[in-house]
């Protein structure tokens, strides 16, 4: 699968990526720009009872495979109206399909608020272990018992759990093991595992998930920005966000020009093909602590951009390739600057009477 933005890319894809003949049709879907993707797991029994297990909001926009995208439970930005639609449609689907056990659905919400059903799978999803830990209920066990003849009321699971804490799932990607492989995320899944962070705030949970996934987020230094034309409209927000966190900004010419017009201090840096010293030299010299690169997908990016992304990977410099990932990273860095990361046992999040005292004790400890 591939997302194509113009006729030239479509022709290249058809010429190099697939064989096209009557026996091998090509499926073309309309891409939903700037859409939020939602995952939902639900349980249904033979008596027609349906209970929502958990609703997850993807951090990266629709277009990144759900297995590669980070996600948050509960949702962060989805309106109550959209959540009600998603719950209603999922319940009706489970009943109409006579699901007995687990079901997973994926939705997309475009900026206007319109909800699209992407797919409905009457089976367990890879999200079930994450949701089970987030809400404190073993969904796979419940599904097995339901398929053996028990009902949801008999199991005592009759209502969706909305936890007071925030859980973030992050994908673990194997790019270091594959030399020359680009690290850009897309509609084809590449992750080989996942980790989870839990906190009472999203920013803290996301920071913990990044640390668990091997991303060492810096709290100071220099950020390198290089955004394609489709995402340049987010530059001012991103530039101001990193400046407020105390970071210096370096950027390639086009990105730097936009930031300068917005009055944001930035140091222009040469692209690799433009001469030296360039961004590659800065990476090697330890002058860049975090990188945000959104790919243009052209031939130049396939050379220069690929080199930079692979070099950042080799030098263990955190690299973010989506706008929403950059926003979440800024939130996480802000949280890390304002307070130290504290660890609670998973069980403590489900003991409301004990959790605050244990958290206070952990924060007071030297």
């Amino acid at each position: 699968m591939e997302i194509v933005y113009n006729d030239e890319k479509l022709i290249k894809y058809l010429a190099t990526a697939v064989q096209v003949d009557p026996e091998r049709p090509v499926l073309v879907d309309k891409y939903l720009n700037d859409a939020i993707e939602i995952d939902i797991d639900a349980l249904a029994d033979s008596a027609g009872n349906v209970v929502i297990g958990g609703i997850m909001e993807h951090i990266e926009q629709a277009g990144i495979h759900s297995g590669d995208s980070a996600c948050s439970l509960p949702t962060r930005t989805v309106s109550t109206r959209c959540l009600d639609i998603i719950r209603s449609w999922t319940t009706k689907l489970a009943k109409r399909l006579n699901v007995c056990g687990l079901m997973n659905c994926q939705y997309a919400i475009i900026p206007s608020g319109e909800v699209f059903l992407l797919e409905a799978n009457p089976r367990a999803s890879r999200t079930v272990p994450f949701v089970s830990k987030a809400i404190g209920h073993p969904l796979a066990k419940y599904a097995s018992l339901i398929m053996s003849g028990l009902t949801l009321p008999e199991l005592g699971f009759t209502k969706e759990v909305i936890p007071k804490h925030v859980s973030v799932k992050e994908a673990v990607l194997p790019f270091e093991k594959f030399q020359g492989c680009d690290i850009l995320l897309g509609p084809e899944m590449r992750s080989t595992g996942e980790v989870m962070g839990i906190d009472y705030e999203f920013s803290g949970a996301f920071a913990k998930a990044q640390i668990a996934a091997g991303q060492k987020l810096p709290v100071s230094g220099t950020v390198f920005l290089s955004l394609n034309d489709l995402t340049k409209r987010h530059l001012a927000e991103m530039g101001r966000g990193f400046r407020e966190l105390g970071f210096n900004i370096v950027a390639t010419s086009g990105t730097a020009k936009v930031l300068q017009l917005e009055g944001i201090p930035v140091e222009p840096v040469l692209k690799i093909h433009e001469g030296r010293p360039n961004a590659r030299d800065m990476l090697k010299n330890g002058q860049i602590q975090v990188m945000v690169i959104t790919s243009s997908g052209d031939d130049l990016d396939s050379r220069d951009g690929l080199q930079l992304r692979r070099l950042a990977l080799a030098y263990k410099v955190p690299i973010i390739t989506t706008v929403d990932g950059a926003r979440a990273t800024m939130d996480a860095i802000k949280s890390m600057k304002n307070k130290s990361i504290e660890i609670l046992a998973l069980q403590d999040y489900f003991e409301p009477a004990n959790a605050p005292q244990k958290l206070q004790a952990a924060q007071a400890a030297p």
Side-chain angles (χ1 to χ4, degrees):
M1 291 187 287
E2 191 165 327
I3 300 170
V4 296
Y5 293 97
N6 52 48
D7 291 346
E8 181 185 350
K9 289 185 179 179
L10 177 61
I11 292 168
K12 182 179 179 181
Y13 172 76
L14 293 174
T16 60
V18 295
Q19 285 183 302
V20 184
D21 63 41
E23 299 298 319
R24 298 182 178 87
V26 174
L27 175 65
V28 179
D29 284 332
K30 182 180 179 181
Y31 179 65
L32 300 174
N33 284 311
D34 298 328
I36 297 169
E37 190 165 349
I38 299 292
D39 251 294
I40 179 169
D41 285 323
L43 276 169
D45 62 24
S46 57
N49 300 301
V50 181
V51 177
I52 304 300
I55 304 177
M56 295 148 277
E57 179 181 349
H58 290 207
I59 291 166
E60 288 82 10
Q61 290 180 339
I64 306 298
H65 193 286
S66 59
D68 288 351
S69 180
C71 71
S72 169
L73 191 163
T75 59
R76 300 170 53 226
T77 65
V78 183
S79 69
T80 301
R81 183 188 68 85
C82 289
L83 289 174
D84 289 343
I85 291 171
I86 288 167
R87 290 185 177 103
S88 173
W89 288 4
T90 302
T91 301
K92 290 176 181 177
L93 275 166
K95 290 181 177 180
R96 186 66 180 271
L97 295 171
N98 294 319
V99 173
C100 185
L102 280 159
M103 183 178 80
N104 172 268
C105 296
Q106 294 179 17
Y107 295 89
I109 304 170
I110 60 175
S112 67
E114 188 175 359
V115 179
F116 291 83
L117 173 67
L118 301 181
E119 57 183 83
N121 301 297
R123 55 164 173 76
S125 167
R126 73 175 66 83
T127 53
V128 167
F130 167 72
V131 174
S132 297
K133 292 183 178 71
I135 67 171
H137 287 268
L139 298 186
K141 181 178 180 179
Y142 289 172
S144 300
L145 293 170
I146 288 168
M147 295 166 76
S148 299
L150 294 181
T151 64
L152 285 162
E154 288 172 334
L155 292 172
F157 189 63
T158 58
K159 186 179 179 182
E160 179 185 355
V161 176
I162 309 292
K164 293 182 179 179
H165 56 268
V166 179
S167 299
V168 170
K169 182 214 80 174
E170 180 59 283
V172 177
L173 298 153
F175 297 126
E176 287 185 2
K177 307 296 182 184
F178 297 95
Q179 292 186 7
C181 172
D182 207 335
I183 69 166
L184 294 173
L185 301 179
E188 292 184 335
M189 182 174 166
R190 296 185 174 190
S191 69
T192 52
E194 58 187 42
V195 295
M196 179 175 177
I198 308 178
D199 199 272
Y200 286 103
E201 296 178 350
F202 168 79
S203 55
F206 187 81
K208 290 177 181 179
Q210 296 306 303
I211 292 168
Q215 285 267 53
K216 296 181 179 178
L217 297 180
V219 293
S220 63
T222 298
V223 58
F224 171 84
L225 299 179
S226 180
L227 272 65
N228 62 27
D229 291 338
L230 291 172
T231 54
K232 273 191 170 64
R233 67 185 187 275
H234 302 290
L235 254 177
E237 171 199 355
M238 200 174 297
R240 291 191 182 97
F242 276 109
R243 287 292 300 177
E244 287 172 5
L245 291 171
F247 282 80
N248 298 316
I249 300 174
V250 296
T252 50
S253 55
T255 301
K257 194 171 294 183
V258 174
L259 290 170
Q260 288 167 342
L261 290 172
E262 293 288 341
I264 299 169
V266 57
E267 178 188 341
V269 62
L270 296 175
K271 296 179 180 178
I272 294 175
H273 73 278
E274 293 175 337
R276 302 183 72 173
N278 52 46
R280 181 175 58 187
D281 297 318
M282 293 188 73
L283 262 177
K284 289 182 176 179
N285 294 335
Q287 295 172 280
I288 295 173
Q289 281 64 52
V290 61
M291 304 187 78
V292 181
I293 301 176
T294 58
S295 170
S296 62
D298 58 18
D299 290 338
L300 183 60
D301 180 75
S302 297
R303 298 192 307 273
D304 281 18
L306 174 60
Q307 280 191 54
L308 276 181
R309 291 187 286 269
R310 289 299 308 184
L311 196 62
L313 190 68
Y315 281 86
K316 309 291 185 185
V317 174
I319 178 165
I320 302 127
T321 59
T322 65
V323 170
D324 293 287
R327 288 194 185 107
T329 299
M330 286 191 289
D331 285 343
I333 292 172
K334 184 176 180 179
S335 175
M336 292 168 66
K337 286 173 75 76
N338 291 338
K339 63 178 183 180
S340 58
I341 292 176
E342 306 293 349
I343 306 299
L344 286 178
L346 180 63
Q347 294 83 350
D348 292 336
Y349 288 97
F350 302 102
E351 298 175 10
N354 297 332
Q357 290 88 334
K358 291 189 176 183
L359 184 60
Q360 289 172 10
Q363 291 173 341

